[in-house]
């Protein structure tokens, strides 16, 4: 294990410079500024470089092989990597499973799984959603029944991001049908090569297989593959969402899109057009306001305060702003908006790519509509 | 954050807000506001005197000039309270005028015995403020002067400094505003001493930010009133607040409100900790844009959600939409502000 310094004692400016130098020095010869997620065979070198330097799990405590970054420093790291256009690695192990195991896992589970995530030996997929349980996640039907010393799993998971690249998947499975729907769910770890597991890729609107469905047909895993206790999966799964909800509302997607919008407008010869500028600065103001709202949450994280349900406002506005920027891009790109390939081979000038990549952001991680329902009840205290 | 000073401003803000309760009732009652509407001069001079005694006009005057030397965060906290109470008195204009005058601020204006207001705008819909200068004499016109009918003194901005004009040297032309007050143009052609002032632009940006905070306070209160109504009003045997269509629109109001609040207080903090000229121009413009959009959005949605009650004068929510319509375009229409931002896009 790397013996890393405590980055949190550095000034923000120093850490920013360090993060920038790190990515500039170490980034391998793989695509930058990719709008779609890269598959494991492409992105693996970057994962392994991050792993070698001890930078693969920024938020894990240092004693478990992470960088132990506080929220504010983590944000700086993300910003600098985004600025460089570094590809997002398969981060479900580092971002989702790791913190969950740290909180709910047994000592054996931590000792076994965490090092394998750090080294890239295990690549994880997430199995929460099902065809009938998307935003209504508690409606999961995939079932696990205890048979002696093994769980027997039957059912289906879907929208597993980059699941075809994973060798392990964690799932929410129903383990008790007799209780309230949130109360009968458990969190299980399943190897993808177990007999009875099968995969079907799903092509998205960009004709790329970023997701897959995973089917479980009498799949057997040891009883010890449960995390957080029987029927406690809902609590464990929800606990993951704290800090991540702040970062999902970060202005970085919209900021990057604004930079691309400017490039497209310059290329189209309308950068000085007053009508375009009027709309551009309106979006720019929205982005700056989002940045200030985001900072209020980062300040809360820095100060160790809990993040409430109101944080979903960030995600709603961020994703809708990202879409509005992409909509103006399409208009500016004129007839070029309907092209399959980016003009002059520059991915940053391809309006359609941003437009399509902006579509899922109001759907994943809780759709905008569901989030508005939650906000209305939990924050505005409107009646049911 | 800025360490110790952030604690200081929170204490200061609490003190200011507590004292402001003397002129904005804590129970939120709007009786006085109703009673003051459509009556000369459009506000209550006694309330201005009380604001003066509370020291509110001295908030932005540096301590070495006998002021309180407080920051924009404190001013914005105060402005929120004033906005929530729909206060018609020109407290913020008087405060900003005092900030321009500094050591030249007349004693009677500090105490509120004489009402001082700010006359900056050259033409409606325009953000120009330099008109009216001449050597030894001041002649010209200023528009959208708040509280002019009840003012004793006018702080007039020009390209050569600030002049302090007594009421008998100006001609006032007023129009009634929707909220029951007055908007006035003043014309003048008088002998005047110009007080050199290198921070007029900065004070107008402060004023614009304070105006945004006033609109924020107005919107917060209008949303609160509307949410209360959604909780108690029943239709089809259910509280109307349980209907998803209204819930989703209410969350849209809330999101705009939180964006506005975050932008205003982050901008105020930047102002207080030394933002450069460009950051000040951008910050003031975008806060004003957001706050104007917010106040217009929340107040018209509020009227709709109140149903037929919302279009009666007896329902308090109507006071909010009339005030929002009166105040939203002060310190720049959204179009003018976006045009200003578009001009500095390449800088």
């Amino acid at each position: 294990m790397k013996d890393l310094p405590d980055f949190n004692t550095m000034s923000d400016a120093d850490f920013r410079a360090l993060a920038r130098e790190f990515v500039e020095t170490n980034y391998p010869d793989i695509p930058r500024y990719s709008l779609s997620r890269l598959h494991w065979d492409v992105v693996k070198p970057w994962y392994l470089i991050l792993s070698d330097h001890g930078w693969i799990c920024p938020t894990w405590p240092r004693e478990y092989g992470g960088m132990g970054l506080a929220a504010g420093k983590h944000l700086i790291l993300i910003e600098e990597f985004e600025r460089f256009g570094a590809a997002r690695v398969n981060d479900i192990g580092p971002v989702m499973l790791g913190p969950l195991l740290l909180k709910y896992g047994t000592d054996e589970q931590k000792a076994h799984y965490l090092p394998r995530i750090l080294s890239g030996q295990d690549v994880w997929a997430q199995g929460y959603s099902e065809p009938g349980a998307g935003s209504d996640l508690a409606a999961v039907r995939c079932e696990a029944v205890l048979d002696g010393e093994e769980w027997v799993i039957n059912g289906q998971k879907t929208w597993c991001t980059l699941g075809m690249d994973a060798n392990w998947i964690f799932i929410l499975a129903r383990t008790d049908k007799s209780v309230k729907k949130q109360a009968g769910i458990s969190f299980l770890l399943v190897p993808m090569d177990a007999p009875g597991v099968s995969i079907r890729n799903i092509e998205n609107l960009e004709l790329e297989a970023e997701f897959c469905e995973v089917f479980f047909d009498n799949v057997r895993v040891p009883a010890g593959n449960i995390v957080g206790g029987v029927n406690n999966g809902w609590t464990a799964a929800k606990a993951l969402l704290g800090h991540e909800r702040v970062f999902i509302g970060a202005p970085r997607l919209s900021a990057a899109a604004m930079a691309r919008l400017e490039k497209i407008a310059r290329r189209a010869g309308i950068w000085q057009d007053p009508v375009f500028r009027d709309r551009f600065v309106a979006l720019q103001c929205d982005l700056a306001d989002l940045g200030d709202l985001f900072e209020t949450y980062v300040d809360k994280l820095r100060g160790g305060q809990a993040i409430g349900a109101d944080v979903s406002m960030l995600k709603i506005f961020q994703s809708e702003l990202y879409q509005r920027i992409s909509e103006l891009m399409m208009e500016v790109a004129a007839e070029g908006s309907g092209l399959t390939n980016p003009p002059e081979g520059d991915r940053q000038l391809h309006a359609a790519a941003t437009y399509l990549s902006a579509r899922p952001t109001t759907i994943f991680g809780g759709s905008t509509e569901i989030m508005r329902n939650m906000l209305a009840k939990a924050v505005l205290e409107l009646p049911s | 954050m800025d360490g110790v000073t952030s604690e200081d401003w929170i204490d200061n803000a609490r003190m200011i807000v507590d004292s402001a309760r003397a002129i904005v009732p804590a129970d939120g009652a709007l009786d006085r506001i109703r009673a003051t509407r459509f009556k000369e001069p459009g506000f209550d001079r006694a309330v201005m005197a009380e604001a003066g005694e509370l020291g509110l006009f001295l908030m932005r005057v540096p301590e070495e000039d006998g002021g309180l030397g407080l920051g924009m965060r404190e001013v914005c906290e105060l402005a929120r309270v004033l906005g929530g109470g729909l206060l018609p008195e020109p407290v913020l204009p008087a405060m900003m005028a005092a900030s321009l005058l500094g050591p030249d601020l007349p004693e009677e204006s500090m105490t509120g015995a004489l009402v001082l207001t700010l006359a900056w705008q050259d033409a409606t819909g325009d953000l120009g403020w330099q008109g009216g200068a001449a050597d030894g004499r001041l002649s010209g016109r200023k528009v959208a002067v708040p509280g002019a009918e009840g003012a004793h003194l006018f702080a007039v901005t020009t390209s050569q400094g600030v002049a302090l004009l007594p009421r008998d040297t100006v001609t006032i032309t007023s129009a009634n505003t929707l909220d029951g007050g007055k908007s006035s143009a003043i014309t003048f052609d008088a002998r005047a001493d110009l007080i050199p002032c290198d921070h007029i632009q900065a004070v107008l940006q402060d004023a614009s930010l304070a105006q945004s905070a006033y609109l924020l306070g107005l919107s917060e209160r209008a949303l609160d009133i509307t949410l209360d109504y959604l909780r108690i009003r029943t239709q089809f045997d259910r509280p109307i607040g349980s209907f998803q269509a209204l819930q989703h629109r209410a969350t849209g109001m809330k999101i705009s409100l939180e964006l506005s609040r975050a932008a205003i207080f982050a901008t105020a903090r930047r102002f207080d900790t030394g933002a450069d000229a460009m950051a000040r121009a951008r910050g003031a413009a975008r806060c004003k844009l957001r706050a104007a959009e917010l106040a217009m959005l929340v107040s018209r949605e509020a009227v709709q959600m109140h149903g037929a009650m919302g279009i009666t004068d007896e329902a308090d929510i109507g006071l909010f939409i009339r005030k929002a319509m009166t105040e939203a375009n002060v310190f720049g229409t959204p179009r003018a502000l976006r045009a200003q931002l578009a001009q500095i896009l390449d800088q």
Side-chain angles (χ1 to χ4, degrees), chain A residues 251-270:
Chain A
R252 61 183 186 273
L253 279 176
S254 292
M258 282 299 280
R260 290 199 291 276
L261 173 58
E262 180 179 335
K263 283 196 165 76
I264 293 171
R266 285 184 188 277
R267 183 173 173 279
I270 61 160

Side-chain angles (χ1 to χ4, degrees), chain A residues 305-367:
Chain A
Q305 292 179 55
I307 300 295
D310 53 330
V311 72
S312 59
M313 291 192 291
L314 269 184
K315 197 235 171 194
I316 293 173
F317 192 73
Q318 198 296 126
S319 54
E320 292 187 342
L321 174 59
Y322 185 36
Q323 292 188 343
R324 285 187 286 128
I325 296 166
S326 78
E327 285 150 24
L328 184 53
M329 261 186 208
M330 286 295 280
E331 208 178 301
V332 169
E335 287 80 356
S337 64
L339 297 178
T340 303
N341 291 315
E344 295 161 18
D346 185 347
R347 191 86 179 145
Q348 294 200 62
L349 295 177
H350 196 210
T354 302
Y355 188 80
L356 288 178
S357 80
R359 294 308 105 192
T361 59
T362 49
I363 300 168
F364 65 53
S367 73

Side-chain angles (χ1 to χ4, degrees), chain A residues 2 46-56 117-120:
Chain A
K2 282 267 168 189
W46 180 221
Y47 193 106
L48 296 182
I49 287 165
L50 289 165
S51 168
D52 283 347
H53 288 83
W55 281 46
I56 190 65
I117 293 172
L118 287 165
S119 67

Side-chain angles (χ1 to χ4, degrees), chain A residues 16 19-20 23 75-84:
Chain A
R16 189 177 291 283
R20 186 176 301 185
V23 67
L75 185 70
I76 291 171
L77 182 71
I78 291 172
E79 282 173 356
E80 288 308 315
F81 280 22
E82 289 284 336
R83 185 198 306 274
F84 182 81

Side-chain angles (χ1 to χ4, degrees), chain B residues 110-237:
Chain B
M110 289 184 203
T111 61
L114 293 184
V115 175
L116 168 69
T117 192
L118 176 64
W120 65 275
Q121 199 169 357
D122 292 340
T124 49
D126 191 335
L127 295 168
W129 53 268
Q130 294 168 316
D135 295 326
R137 279 190 90 75
L138 196 67
S139 64
R141 182 167 189 265
K142 293 286 178 183
V143 302
V145 182
E149 290 284 359
H152 303 96
L153 288 166
F154 298 83
V156 180
T157 64
T158 78
S159 58
Q160 294 164 30
V162 183
L164 194 57
L165 293 183
R167 182 190 180 87
D168 60 10
T169 62
V170 307
T171 306
I172 303 174
T173 319
S174 294
N176 295 323
T177 51
L178 282 163
D179 63 340
K182 301 278 185 189
S183 174
S184 308
I186 60 170
T187 52
F188 39 83
D189 181 19
R191 284 198 54 77
D193 295 326
L194 279 167
I195 303 158
C197 182
D198 59 4
H199 62 293
I200 296 178
Q201 186 67 63
V203 169
L204 292 176
Q205 285 159 349
D206 290 349
S208 169
L209 187 59
Q211 176 76 358
S212 308
Y214 184 97
L215 291 166
L216 170 68
L218 178 164
S219 307
E220 285 171 329
R221 181 88 186 280
L223 179 58
D224 282 347
I225 292 172
T226 306
L227 290 173
D228 281 343
Y229 189 77
L230 292 177
R231 290 182 197 112
I232 56 163
R233 169 72 173 163
T234 58
Q235 290 271 272
F236 310 106
D237 299 324

Side-chain angles (χ1 to χ4, degrees), chain A residues 119-356:
Chain A
S119 67
Q121 193 174 356
D122 286 346
V123 176
W124 283 86
Q126 185 236 81
Y128 279 6
S129 294
E130 296 179 14
S135 288
D136 182 11
L137 192 56
V140 293
R141 293 217 308 263
C142 179
E143 191 183 12
V145 178
L146 200 56
D147 178 25
E149 288 298 299
E150 289 180 326
W151 291 100
V152 182
I153 305 164
N154 279 288
Q156 176 187 358
K157 291 291 170 181
T158 192
W159 313 128
C160 307
T161 307
L162 299 179
M164 66 291 285
D165 296 341
N167 60 336
W168 279 83
I169 184 169
F170 55 81
I171 64 168
L172 291 179
R174 186 152 305 282
T175 39
D176 187 347
K177 291 178 185 170
S178 66
V179 292
K180 192 168 160 268
K181 61 182 185 176
Q182 284 88 351
I185 296 172
S186 298
F187 192 97
L188 288 168
L189 310 177
V190 186
M192 293 289 255
D193 61 359
V197 176
S198 56
I199 290 181
R200 189 184 75 84
N201 287 351
I202 304 172
E203 282 196 350
N204 62 18
L205 280 171
E206 295 159 82
L207 306 180
E208 287 163 3
E210 192 172 310
F211 309 107
C212 64
E213 293 178 289
V214 181
F215 300 87
F216 302 88
D217 180 16
N218 285 316
V219 174
R220 304 182 79 91
V221 299
N225 281 25
I226 200 162
V227 180
V230 178
N231 292 338
N232 198 31
W234 184 251
T235 312
K238 294 269 277 192
L240 275 186
L241 301 172
H243 287 198
E244 279 66 37
R245 282 195 173 162
V246 176
F247 291 106
I248 215 171
R252 61 183 186 273
L253 279 176
S254 292
M258 282 299 280
R260 290 199 291 276
L261 173 58
E262 180 179 335
K263 283 196 165 76
I264 293 171
R266 285 184 188 277
R267 183 173 173 279
I270 61 160
W271 175 240
Q272 298 291 342
D273 174 67
V275 175
F276 171 78
R277 288 197 154 208
D278 187 69
R279 295 175 68 186
F280 185 85
V281 296
L283 292 169
Q284 210 179 34
C285 288
D286 285 343
L287 178 61
D289 293 350
L290 173 67
D292 283 341
L293 184 60
F294 178 67
E295 274 300 315
T296 64
Y297 286 96
V298 173
D299 279 346
K300 277 188 193 175
L301 288 180
R302 282 194 193 112
Q305 292 179 55
I307 300 295
D310 53 330
V311 72
S312 59
M313 291 192 291
L314 269 184
K315 197 235 171 194
I316 293 173
F317 192 73
Q318 198 296 126
S319 54
E320 292 187 342
L321 174 59
Y322 185 36
Q323 292 188 343
R324 285 187 286 128
I325 296 166
S326 78
E327 285 150 24
L328 184 53
M329 261 186 208
M330 286 295 280
E331 208 178 301
V332 169
E335 287 80 356
S337 64
L339 297 178
T340 303
N341 291 315
E344 295 161 18
D346 185 347
R347 191 86 179 145
Q348 294 200 62
L349 295 177
H350 196 210
T354 302
Y355 188 80
L356 288 178

